Amino acid sequence: MKLPEILDDGSVDQASQLLRDYYLAPSKATGDVRTGARYDDWAGGGDSPETRDSIAGDDVIAALFLSIPFPGRAAIGILETHAEKVTQLLRGIPSDVELSDLNGDQFESVLGPDSASWHLWNLLRGKPDRKWGVGPTTASKLMARKRPHLIPIWDSVIKSQTGLNSSLTQWREWHTALTADGGKLASRLNEIQEHAQLSAPISRLRVMDVVLWMNGTDRGRNVPAPVEADDA
């Protein structure tokens, strides 16, 4: 992975402006802020104590604010048919830890291939046999809604901006990037948010996602079509 210059030390002011524009700048066409600005706090947020261990309709709505398709069959499966399993897995994923704070052993326990996080990822994707049309972008946005400090968002813009090879390795690669050099990137993300002076705090991972998305889409003016290939 190679991070773009927008996340360098010398770009904090520029990155902060991108973050501020995303959350606070009204659209010239409608006068409203972009719908993605409501993803984090919609219906009280996805990781509030009352809702953090279940995926509900409000979480699907919040994910839709990030311009993703959501197949009806997947909604029934996730919200109803497999709701108990979803809750069981979410209870096995800590809500009070940050990706950047995990050591190597903790990473394996929380995000490794035998973890509840990995099993939830596969369930949301409809693997191995349901195939209900949820790709890595949609799955990541649902999981990031429930565990915003732990799960990064994945999409084609993030892939292009960072050179990440696969959604299947991104958790480990982001963990490596965030913990390298004594956690300099994590500290820089805090600095970017502090300079942006948002009306409400968001997670470091969401800061990173928004800055990369704004940087990679010319402030949202050139948004690519969603890519939901199996290993996009």
Side-chain angles (χ1 to χ4, degrees):
M1 173 169 46
K2 180 175 174 55
L3 296 176
E5 291 183 5
I6 193 64
L7 292 179
D8 287 349
D9 274 332
S11 300
V12 169
D13 288 343
Q14 182 183 355
S16 299
Q17 189 60 54
L18 291 178
L19 188 65
R20 183 173 179 82
D21 287 350
Y22 182 92
Y23 279 97
L24 301 178
S27 164
K28 292 180 180 179
T30 67
D32 299 322
V33 297
R34 66 184 72 239
T35 59
R38 298 301 313 277
Y39 166 81
D40 311 271
D41 67 358
W42 179 256
D47 65 336
S48 66
E50 299 81 11
T51 62
R52 64 189 175 202
D53 290 335
S54 63
I55 293 179
D58 281 324
D59 299 308
V60 173
I61 291 171
L64 291 173
F65 292 161
L66 300 183
S67 302
I68 59 165
F70 206 96
R73 190 158 61 94
I76 293 170
I78 293 167
L79 300 178
E80 182 178 271
T81 309
H82 301 284
E84 287 188 19
K85 183 63 175 178
V86 168
T87 291
Q88 177 188 343
L89 291 171
L90 280 170
R91 286 173 178 164
I93 305 172
S95 59
D96 59 350
V97 298
E98 302 230 10
L99 178 58
S100 55
D101 292 339
L102 298 176
N103 63 32
D105 289 341
Q106 290 169 330
F107 177 90
E108 291 302 325
S109 173
V110 174
L111 292 171
D114 294 324
S115 67
S117 301
W118 197 263
H119 289 301
L120 180 59
W121 174 266
N122 284 331
L123 189 157
L124 296 178
R125 294 291 312 278
K127 293 185 174 182
D129 54 6
R130 289 180 289 273
K131 299 183 184 302
W132 49 34
V134 169
T137 296
T138 299
S140 74
K141 289 174 180 180
L142 278 177
M143 289 187 70
R145 164 85 175 165
K146 306 314 296 183
R147 297 293 184 267
H149 301 282
L150 189 63
I151 305 296
I153 286 176
W154 168 268
D155 61 23
S156 61
V157 177
I158 300 300
K159 180 179 181 179
S160 174
Q161 285 281 289
T162 61
L164 282 164
N165 292 321
S166 168
S167 64
L168 303 178
T169 61
Q170 59 147 342
W171 294 349
R172 189 175 301 277
E173 292 187 71
W174 275 124
H175 179 253
T176 298
L178 288 162
T179 56
D181 300 320
K184 285 186 178 179
L185 175 58
S187 297
R188 196 174 305 131
L189 294 171
N190 291 342
E191 186 179 0
I192 290 169
Q193 179 163 199
E194 181 180 347
H195 281 220
Q197 297 183 317
L198 303 181
S199 56
I202 57 175
S203 72
R204 288 172 179 165
L205 296 182
R206 183 67 169 134
V207 171
M208 183 172 66
D209 168 60
V210 169
V211 170
L212 290 176
W213 187 86
M214 289 285 279
N215 189 59
T217 63
D218 188 21
R219 297 175 180 262
R221 289 186 282 262
N222 296 307
V223 181
V227 175
E228 285 285 35
D230 242 11
D231 190 21

